[in-house]
Amino acid sequence: MKAIFLLGLGFVALLQGVVFGQSEVNRQAAIPLWPDGAPGALGKAEKDIPTLTPYLPPPEKATGAAMVVCPGGGYGGLASYEGEDYARWLNDQGIAGFVLKYRLGSAGYRHPRMLEDAARAVRLVRFRAADWKVDTKRVGIIGSSAGGHLASTLLTHFDAGNSSAADPIDQLGSRPDLGVLCYPVITMGDKTHNGSRDNLLGPNPSPELIEELSNERHVTHETPPCFLFATDEDKAVPVENSLEFAAALRRAKVPFEIHIYEHGQHGLALGSHPYDPSKWHPWTVECRRWLKERGFGR
């Protein structure tokens, strides 16, 4: 009986830990970006339905800013440690996080479907700003690796919306107010990540398509301010991706900040894949300061 009683106490303690852990994360139900089906959908399975999952900070901590989060995964998968973990990190700064599940090359999708999903996500956050207590002029985007490519694509390929669209969401602009790019894929040229390019564009993309999705070539003075970080040790996505994008930002006189670290493997995310603030990488401190300076965080 004593052993059973102790086991019971252990189960209760474990259950309490899970419940308390969940209560610290205000994760709401995933929302389909298009309730009646996404444009170009290949079916109605989960892989065909792009969604947005809101993570909201406590009301007393909220700043009114929001970030759409694009996880990486080579356009073939979605890494949770670059999704939910980032949203929780943002919530700690008072920023609402919205994790995007975008369509993938591994499910048969190609450009422009991923860009359509990212643009729709930004529009949706603005459309429901009152529900989520978000400032429509403080909606940014953050992405890592291939998710960084998707974020940089929207940062350079946004539009003002279609005022005559029947869908009121489509009437809103898709330009993010700032961007955070973490060891991003930027180019589709020689320094690209080949797996990401294949999943995004297919095995034999035309030179015109490679040019269109090499985002360092599309920076203008209208590109939003950006924070970038990468590591020299990254063997998957060459650091030149970040350097070339930063150089393009500088030429266009767009405010930016870039941090290149000597050490760190690709996919380092916040610094540890189990969510552990004690092991966060220095970029998280620098980015937190930058987000505060830009009027997003605390």
Side-chain angles (χ1 to χ4, degrees), residues 6-7 17 36 46 74 80 85 103 120 123-124 138 160 162 206 208 228-229 238 253 271-272 283:
L6 289 175
L7 180 61
D36 298 324
E46 184 178 350
S80 63
D85 286 8
R103 287 171 286 178
R120 178 74 173 190
R123 298 188 217 275
L124 180 60
R138 286 188 293 154
N162 180 0
S206 67
E208 293 78 15
L228 300 95
F229 97 89
K253 295 181 169 52
S272 65
W283 82 264

Side-chain angles (χ1 to χ4, degrees), residues 54-120:
Y55 292 74
L56 303 180
E60 68 278 6
K61 199 171 191 177
T63 66
M67 298 283 285
V68 171
V69 183
C70 302
Y75 283 117
L78 297 171
S80 63
Y81 51 83
E82 295 167 348
E84 177 171 311
D85 286 8
Y86 280 30
R88 293 178 65 183
W89 172 70
L90 290 165
N91 283 179
D92 189 57
Q93 303 170 59
I95 303 170
F98 296 86
V99 177
L100 174 62
K101 187 190 83 174
Y102 52 92
R103 287 171 286 178
L104 298 169
S106 56
Y109 291 98
R110 299 288 185 262
H111 173 74
R113 300 310 175 202
M114 298 77 160
L115 176 57
E116 290 172 346
D117 295 349
R120 178 74 173 190

Side-chain angles (χ1 to χ4, degrees), residues 235-255:
K235 303 303 181 187
V237 178
V239 70
E240 283 82 1
N241 282 262
S242 293
L243 293 172
E244 290 178 9
F245 196 74
L249 292 168
R250 180 170 170 77
R251 286 192 297 271
K253 295 181 169 52
V254 175

Side-chain angles (χ1 to χ4, degrees), residues 164-179:
S164 61
D167 186 339
I169 298 175
D170 288 337
Q171 296 176 13
L172 301 176
S174 63
R175 179 185 184 272
D177 294 299
L178 57 71

Side-chain angles (χ1 to χ4, degrees), residues 11-192:
F11 175 77
V12 170
L14 176 61
L15 180 61
Q16 287 177 333
V18 170
V19 172
F20 293 156
Q22 287 178 340
S23 68
E24 295 170 2
V25 182
N26 186 5
R27 179 180 59 231
Q28 301 192 352
I31 302 165
L33 293 180
W34 287 273
D36 298 324
L42 300 176
K44 296 183 179 180
E46 184 178 350
K47 64 183 176 60
D48 303 305
I49 304 173
T51 65
L52 199 63
T53 302
Y55 292 74
L56 303 180
E60 68 278 6
K61 199 171 191 177
T63 66
M67 298 283 285
V68 171
V69 183
C70 302
Y75 283 117
L78 297 171
S80 63
Y81 51 83
E82 295 167 348
E84 177 171 311
D85 286 8
Y86 280 30
R88 293 178 65 183
W89 172 70
L90 290 165
N91 283 179
D92 189 57
Q93 303 170 59
I95 303 170
F98 296 86
V99 177
L100 174 62
K101 187 190 83 174
Y102 52 92
R103 287 171 286 178
L104 298 169
S106 56
Y109 291 98
R110 299 288 185 262
H111 173 74
R113 300 310 175 202
M114 298 77 160
L115 176 57
E116 290 172 346
D117 295 349
R120 178 74 173 190
V122 170
R123 298 188 217 275
L124 180 60
V125 171
R126 290 195 168 119
F127 183 74
R128 294 196 54 184
D131 297 335
W132 293 319
K133 297 180 172 56
V134 165
D135 181 353
T136 59
K137 296 182 179 179
R138 286 188 293 154
V139 179
I141 193 165
I142 179 172
S144 301
S145 191
H149 183 267
L150 181 55
S152 70
T153 303
L154 187 58
L155 288 163
T156 52
H157 296 72
F158 54 83
D159 63 61
N162 180 0
S163 60
S164 61
D167 186 339
I169 298 175
D170 288 337
Q171 296 176 13
L172 301 176
S174 63
R175 179 185 184 272
D177 294 299
L178 57 71
V180 176
L181 306 176
C182 310
Y183 41 91
V185 179
I186 296 291
T187 188
M188 291 287 105
D190 292 340
K191 296 292 185 179
T192 194

